[in-house]
Amino acid sequence: MKSTNFRMVNKNVEINYDNNNKSKSIDEDDLQCEEFEETPLYAAVLTYISYAILCLFGWLRDFLRQSKIEKKRGAVDPNASLGFVPLYQSYESFYTRNMYTRVRDIFNRPIASVPGPQFELTERISDDYNWTYRYTGKTVSAINLGSYNYLGFAEKTGPCAIDTINGLKSYAIANCSTRSEIGTQRYHIELEQLVAEFLGVESCIAFGMGFATNALNIPVIASKGDLILSDEMNHISLILGMRLSGACYQTFEHNDMNDLEKKLRAAIVHGHSRTNRPWKKIIIVVEGVYSMEGSICRLPQLIELKKKYKAYLYMDEAHSIGAMGKSGRGIVDYFNVNSNDVDILMGTFTKSFGSAGGYIAGKKSLIDHIRVNSHAHTYASSMSAPIVQQIISSLQLLKGPEGQKRINQLADNARYFRRKLVDMGFIIYGNKYSPVVPMLLYMPARVTRFNREMLRRGIAVVTVGFPATKLLEARVRFCLSAAHTRQMLDAALEAIDEVGTDISLRYSTRHKPQRLKDL
């Protein structure tokens, strides 16, 4: 792994936030300052040894299963015994059956309440080492540090909930048709107009699923003969969209503008690798906030490069719209750049707006093209009234004093929480203004232990390991919300301090390890 610390100076960018009734001006080098501390050698060695031991025991258990000494607990395809080609290979995954299953209790936990700052988890117990579960009927109360409820709009009371219920009474749940047939209601048009106005662009189109917004619309704007340059940390929905498009795609190193420029130059000079013909068009695809890294794209430099080399820029703002910028308009607002300099603005309603779906915004000609050619628009059922009304209500609140209060609170929570973790000596990735705060755990046993110990202390967290991350980058990903109170964050920090001490998680060599009480 490499250690990076990106800085760029431009005194014309500023952010305003409320902290003890003060206003602060932050220059661009501060906005782009983020840190990825190198993995300590001893942690890397121990992690490799851990996985090696797990593999050895996995091979032993596979041998025992084949010898019928150990019972096979995985699903078995009954067609295979009848001479048919197996419909599915349920037992082909070595990792799933020997590693993931043993720790499955820390993943996919069902909840039994609104995913607010504090929520209820459904209690479940396994009698066969996580192959199956039984539910006790009880719930476990915990502080929620895993949901993407950035602005706290996932609520069952308040103006959004009231408007959503009224929308349900007026329009029912389903339209039973697609947008291109007779499934377009007045609230769909209102939503798209509101989003376009909020983002400061000509037009917008909304879809019922955030993942499909990327996966099914990138093929509409890219095709054979085009080149897509993608950040190596882009979400799978973007990657799937690139694959479906038929366009050629290459990755550039995460947030590395020098590497991107080299690839842009090579693409223009050499053209297609087989024919050497010029590319029809080049599209740069990035995310606003990278949900696994907590980092932020270098938007000012990206705009400069796309203009210099006449490329198009596609930016996924799933984790940044609503959560970043002084007005909540995402990374465009965060860097105070012109929204028209980003050719395709994509975002979702599933996070900051507490609803579901996604959007693409930009010039009217682009949106008209997508409206006619997108499978996500032509074949999918249109968004239901309660879903749309939740977005409309939260958007309207976002533009007023209540929205500004939530934006400021989220920014304050993110800075406070991240700073405390760094000062305690944990390795924290990403930008200090990001609402996503990844903390490195490295070893698989510590990933499992951390998750279970935190829940035992009343804190629900999301831990992520291989293959969702690189082998040496297993982590816990904290997602902060404007709804978190300082008392909740302090309770979480105390629990992290205790667990981090018990299982030795203070890996940082840049910051002296300290206990929370000593800060």
Side-chain angles (χ1 to χ4, degrees), residues 321-341:
I321 189 66
M324 299 296 295
K326 62 182 180 182
S327 302
R329 293 191 296 111
I331 299 302
V332 169
D333 189 21
Y334 179 76
F335 284 111
N336 194 26
V337 299
N338 190 334
S339 56
N340 292 309
D341 285 335

Side-chain angles (χ1 to χ4, degrees), residues 267-459:
I268 292 171
V269 171
H270 301 296
H272 196 285
S273 59
R274 288 205 307 266
T275 65
N276 290 329
R277 291 180 179 176
W279 298 103
K280 293 179 181 177
K281 60 177 173 284
I282 300 174
I283 304 173
I284 303 167
V285 178
V286 297
E287 293 185 47
V289 169
Y290 292 87
S291 60
M292 278 293 186
E293 308 303 309
S295 53
I296 295 172
C297 74
R298 310 279 174 255
L299 187 56
Q301 298 97 308
L302 286 165
I303 291 172
E304 182 181 344
L305 286 175
K306 80 109 181 176
K307 288 181 176 179
K308 180 178 180 180
Y309 293 100
K310 303 297 187 291
Y312 293 95
L313 180 58
Y314 184 114
M315 184 165 66
D316 178 344
E317 293 232 66
H319 287 268
S320 51
I321 189 66
M324 299 296 295
K326 62 182 180 182
S327 302
R329 293 191 296 111
I331 299 302
V332 169
D333 189 21
Y334 179 76
F335 284 111
N336 194 26
V337 299
N338 190 334
S339 56
N340 292 309
D341 285 335
V342 182
D343 302 286
I344 304 108
L345 283 164
M346 179 272 172
T348 64
F349 303 119
T350 54
K351 300 168 179 70
S352 292
F353 302 99
S355 189
Y359 68 84
I360 288 183
K363 293 189 180 299
K364 186 176 184 303
S365 57
L366 167 71
I367 303 306
D368 288 345
H369 171 76
I370 293 174
R371 205 178 294 278
V372 172
N373 294 283
S374 172
H375 289 178
H377 180 78
T378 305
Y379 297 110
S381 296
S382 60
M383 298 170 72
S384 67
I387 294 294
V388 175
Q389 192 57 60
Q390 167 69 23
I391 305 166
I392 291 173
S393 299
S394 55
L395 259 175
Q396 290 170 340
L397 284 174
L398 196 57
K399 295 189 289 185
E402 174 63 22
Q404 194 61 57
K405 178 182 175 182
R406 294 185 186 225
I407 293 167
N408 293 336
Q409 186 62 55
L410 174 61
D412 186 60
N413 285 350
R415 286 191 301 274
Y416 174 78
F417 194 78
R418 182 181 287 270
R419 186 70 257 163
K420 290 290 185 182
L421 291 176
V422 169
D423 289 343
M424 282 193 282
F426 299 107
I427 292 183
I428 306 299
Y429 273 6
N431 189 291
K432 63 182 179 181
Y433 299 106
S434 168
V436 179
V437 183
M439 186 178 96
L440 275 292
L441 304 176
Y442 298 115
M443 283 169 268
R446 291 182 179 178
V447 171
T448 308
R449 179 84 182 277
F450 182 84
N451 193 301
R452 290 171 179 166
E453 290 296 327
M454 289 295 288
L455 186 60
R456 193 169 292 141
R457 290 165 172 78
I459 315 293

